[in-house]
Amino acid sequence: GGNCRKKLFEIIMKITVANKKLSAKPQGDQEKRDYFNGLVLSTKEIEIGQLREIVSDGITISYVYRDQKFSRRSGYMKDNYVGTQFIVVDIDKCDKSPDDFVSSIKYRPTVFHTTFSNLTESKDNKYCFHLIYIFNEMIFSEDNYTRVFRELTSDYFGYVDKQAKDPHRMFFTSNSDLEGFEY
């Protein structure tokens, strides 16, 4: 009902967000260098409902690390991972629309959104989206993250982007100005 949905979206969650917005996914080494130059990541507490604005604005997200604010540098994320209150599952080159895919899986995500790569030539004009599972409490340790990730994706693990299965990643989200954007 309406009250349950309202209360869900008032839940506070920890998330790490970038200080820069994107209108497109950085392509090539120079675009990536330009984006990462001066990038600062900050851990914040937000209401789940604010996640829509973060994704719509093209803000890169990540999990929680030791420092409240940090710059992306070699080894930092691997050496300083603390935990997460959400898990992002990256699905690329899917023949099913996000709605159809979500309705067919065992554990449905809290939210999902199309990514910068959705229905693009580089992804064979197929669907690309993130499933975001949000939890009431933090999941601490890499081992616990891996266990939860594997359980959530057990019935569709073959669809999961191979590079996006560990907790040391940043996720380029999307932008609401993109054609076919869905949240």
Side-chain angles (χ1 to χ4, degrees):
N3 284 342
C4 290
R5 187 165 185 79
K6 183 177 181 207
K7 287 181 183 178
L8 169 70
F9 284 89
E10 291 174 353
I11 291 174
I12 302 296
M13 65 178 276
K14 282 190 175 191
I15 186 171
T16 298
V17 296
N19 63 330
K20 295 182 178 183
K21 297 178 180 182
L22 289 168
S23 57
K25 185 176 182 178
Q27 301 295 320
D29 291 340
Q30 188 59 49
E31 281 187 25
K32 289 176 184 174
R33 273 194 297 275
D34 290 346
Y35 176 69
F36 291 126
N37 184 30
L39 186 75
V40 176
L41 296 153
S42 302
T43 301
K44 300 180 181 219
E45 290 189 348
I46 65 165
E47 290 182 0
I48 291 174
Q50 292 174 279
L51 187 58
R52 180 185 200 104
E53 184 178 329
I54 289 168
V55 169
S56 296
D57 284 346
I59 296 173
T60 302
I61 63 173
S62 192
Y63 303 127
V64 177
Y65 301 88
R66 185 190 63 182
D67 299 307
Q68 189 78 21
K69 279 189 171 189
F70 61 94
S71 297
R72 185 176 179 265
R73 60 187 185 274
S74 181
Y76 178 86
M77 296 173 97
K78 180 132 181 80
D79 295 338
N80 294 286
Y81 173 78
V82 172
T84 186
Q85 198 170 342
F86 66 98
I87 290 179
V88 176
V89 179
D90 190 9
I91 306 293
D92 280 344
K93 295 185 181 181
C94 186
D95 290 322
K96 294 180 182 181
S97 71
D99 284 318
D100 289 344
F101 187 87
V102 167
S103 68
S104 73
I105 60 178
K106 181 177 179 180
Y107 299 111
R108 296 197 175 116
T110 311
V111 297
F112 65 86
H113 69 85
T114 53
T115 66
F116 286 117
S117 302
N118 187 48
L119 302 174
T120 60
E121 255 184 66
S122 66
K123 299 293 181 176
D124 301 331
N125 295 307
K126 294 188 178 188
Y127 294 102
C128 300
F129 46 92
H130 289 159
L131 308 177
I132 303 178
Y133 295 87
I134 301 172
F135 304 94
N136 292 334
E137 297 178 17
M138 290 281 289
I139 299 168
F140 293 101
S141 88
E142 295 172 26
D143 289 342
N144 288 335
Y145 172 93
T146 300
R147 277 195 283 281
V148 173
F149 189 97
R150 285 192 180 145
E151 179 61 28
L152 291 173
T153 61
S154 61
D155 61 328
Y156 63 91
F157 196 73
Y159 285 95
V160 178
D161 182 340
K162 309 279 184 270
Q163 297 179 7
K165 294 178 182 176
D166 71 68
H168 314 114
R169 299 197 47 92
M170 296 186 332
F171 293 90
F172 296 120
T173 55
S174 193
N175 189 294
S176 60
D177 291 336
L178 295 172
E179 188 176 332
F181 173 78
E182 188 176 348
Y183 184 94

